[in-house]
Amino acid sequence: MIDQKTCFTSPFSMALSLRFVSTVRSLLLSLFALAFAQWDYRSALAADDFSLEQKRPSIKADRSQEDWSLLADPKLRNEPLDRLKYIPLFPSNPDSYISLGLNLREIFEVSDAPAFGTVPANPRDSYWLQRAQFHIDVHLNENWQLFTQFEDVRAFDKTVVGPNDANRFDLRLAFIGYTQETDAGTFRARVGRQDFAFDLERFVSVRDGPNVRQSFDAVWAGWETDAWRFYGLVSQPVQYQDDYPFDDRSSGDVLFSGARIERQLSPAIEASAYYALYQRKDATFLTASGEEDRHVLDIRSAGKYGGFDWDAEAMGQVGQVGSADILAWAVGARTGYTFEDVTWSPRIGLQFDVASGDRDAGDGTLGTFNPLFPNGFYFALGGHTGYSNLIHLKPSITAQPTEDLTLMAGVGLLWRQTTQDAVYTLPSVPVAGTAGKGPAWTGAYAQVKADYRLNPNLTGSLEAVHYQVGSALEAVGGRDSNYFRAELKLAW
């Protein structure tokens, strides 16, 4: 472990970090203009060059999975800065190269009642969030990869800044990866700081909704065939701080390990299951505290058939917190039907979620479901609803007026699974005074969202949420709230 205090607190180091951040921001602003220029550039390509354009690698949510070795062909280097996307290491081996990349996310948020207005120290707020990331992806050959990503995450004018909001210049990802393809299948392994995201990210997520994403210091290995995938991991989630640059670290206080199996049943249908062990040294719940050893079993099915689509997942949890036994569970499902032959391809959707709460504070069994590492946008971006002690029903409609524009509107209805436990907000924070009091009805929210892709590098979105609280929240000072978010993402 690096001695952070002696290495990073000198005036020279701070000046160097600030100068680097300033340089990165200047480059990112230049890339905004470049992204728009590329849009016009692409539209002017001749018809006989279109097939070459289609072969270009695509930018992925996980930047480490991108393969830019195709740019070894000079005919495909037809966009500005392609020489930085593919820097050859050994001319005799096109799979040996360095690729540079950038992410920039700008968000403006307004929330007139964070946590339903029940926390006086967290009042109505409007603020600007920024996430800037720079990565260096080194491929030594077709087998070995060294991936490093730095980030600078800021929250401007936010009244309450937590570890999910800001993270001054720091190391986000740094791992060594190995891949070996054989006739029987492909072996993959990674060691170092990396991302994990399971399925719809209900319970294991990169946490892309909040400003600071979640990464893990981990050892990961897997075996893949056309139909099967097996892998296991041992990890420590990174604990984020914002005191000075390069102060993030993981520790043995929280451990997450497990094994997972996936099966591709058909080109459009898949199934998966995993076992995990979640361990925390100092866990605190409303009715139990102490060392947490939580055994997790998760199963999932997802797919499409005709116009129907579905994604259903169930998780059971057993173990101990202090002297209390754990017996908790959750079920989540999203399903819908898309009218593909109708203008705008409307999709009628229905989302259903149930997560257990603790029914009896004195029976020695903790029933409150632990959502582990949930994302910040599974329900809505407003952060009102945590995945513990809830019943959630959400009908929605989605339409696509153009290939690049998607519109969604939905209404969410919420109840507590048991009135003996509290109402929870993200990530798993009980609202004070709600446990054991009031009816099951928690409230309802209306959500509208628009996503637009300006070009392959630049996307934007707008989201508005109105939350109307139920009497259980009103009794502890909760009030109706409005949330608005405008987001712009650049990836190069």
Side-chain angles (χ1 to χ4, degrees), residues 1-14 244-247:
M1 185 64 66
I2 296 174
D3 186 345
Q4 298 155 337
K5 291 185 178 179
T6 58
C7 290
F8 299 114
T9 58
S10 70
F12 175 77
S13 298
M14 293 295 291
Y244 45 82
F246 294 102
D247 61 353

Side-chain angles (χ1 to χ4, degrees), residues 465-477:
V465 179
H466 173 74
Y467 197 110
Q468 185 172 357
V469 300
S471 57
L473 287 168
E474 287 181 329
V476 295

Side-chain angles (χ1 to χ4, degrees), residues 58 267 282 379 383 412 414 437 442 444:
S58 61
D282 188 17
F379 297 107
L414 295 116
K437 298 179 181 179
T442 302

Side-chain angles (χ1 to χ4, degrees), residues 66-356:
E66 296 172 9
D67 181 1
W68 293 91
S69 61
L70 287 175
L71 294 189
D73 183 354
K75 294 180 181 178
L76 293 178
R77 298 178 204 160
N78 50 20
E79 293 187 2
L81 299 184
D82 269 357
R83 67 183 184 279
L84 299 180
K85 299 304 293 182
Y86 183 85
I87 305 172
L89 289 175
F90 311 113
S92 60
N93 185 355
D95 292 317
S96 299
Y97 65 94
I98 299 173
S99 182
L100 306 181
L102 294 165
N103 291 330
L104 178 64
R105 188 177 77 167
E106 302 286 346
I107 293 174
F108 175 70
E109 279 188 338
V110 178
S111 180
D112 65 2
F116 308 111
T118 59
V119 182
N122 192 7
R124 173 176 179 164
D125 212 355
S126 61
Y127 46 87
W128 193 274
L129 302 175
Q130 182 184 76
R131 179 202 292 163
Q133 298 172 330
F134 166 72
H135 70 256
I136 305 170
D137 188 8
V138 181
H139 292 256
L140 299 178
N141 51 39
E142 65 274 14
N143 303 115
W144 290 97
Q145 178 187 20
L146 305 176
F147 187 88
T148 305
Q149 185 180 65
F150 302 92
E151 74 174 3
D152 186 75
V153 183
R154 304 288 175 125
F156 302 102
D157 300 322
K158 196 172 191 295
T159 303
V160 178
V161 178
N164 294 346
D165 298 315
N167 187 33
R168 275 174 284 184
F169 186 65
D170 222 311
L171 178 67
R172 205 190 89 75
L173 301 174
F175 65 82
I176 300 174
Y178 178 78
T179 301
Q180 179 63 61
E181 296 185 1
T182 69
D183 292 338
T186 301
F187 172 77
R188 303 183 192 275
R190 285 182 176 182
V191 179
R193 185 164 295 182
Q194 53 193 287
D195 281 335
F196 298 137
F198 292 174
D199 311 319
L200 280 185
E201 304 185 36
R202 291 181 179 96
F203 310 124
V204 180
S205 168
V206 298
R207 197 174 64 185
D208 193 54
N211 214 25
V212 179
R213 302 181 80 183
Q214 178 66 62
S215 58
F216 299 79
D217 290 334
V219 176
W220 174 97
W223 176 260
E224 302 174 11
T225 67
D226 290 340
W228 292 94
R229 188 182 185 197
F230 309 88
Y231 63 86
L233 60 93
V234 178
S235 73
Q236 298 176 351
V238 174
Q239 310 299 303
Y240 290 93
Q241 303 179 68
D242 189 37
D243 297 326
Y244 45 82
F246 294 102
D247 61 353
D248 298 341
R249 64 183 186 276
S250 61
S251 72
D253 290 347
V254 183
L255 298 174
F256 179 70
S257 55
R260 179 178 168 94
I261 181 172
E262 299 175 4
R263 167 69 168 163
Q264 195 71 37
L265 300 174
S266 73
I269 301 175
E270 62 185 58
S272 64
Y274 66 87
Y275 162 79
L277 175 61
Y278 177 87
Q279 298 172 291
R280 186 167 42 160
K281 287 189 176 179
D282 188 17
T284 301
F285 295 86
L286 289 178
T287 59
S289 62
E291 289 194 12
E292 179 179 4
D293 289 288
R294 192 173 292 255
H295 300 269
V296 173
L297 180 62
D298 184 279
I299 57 174
R300 172 180 174 263
S301 172
K304 296 181 179 180
Y305 183 79
F308 290 96
D309 65 87
W310 71 91
D311 189 301
E313 184 173 6
M315 176 179 284
Q317 300 178 343
V318 297
Q320 281 193 313
V321 174
S323 60
D325 295 329
I326 296 172
L327 183 58
W329 53 270
V331 176
R334 286 184 177 183
T335 186
Y337 183 83
T338 302
F339 298 87
E340 298 177 351
D341 297 330
V342 177
T343 303
W344 292 12
S345 302
R347 176 187 179 273
I348 305 298
L350 183 65
Q351 179 178 337
F352 177 68
D353 302 276
V354 184
S356 64

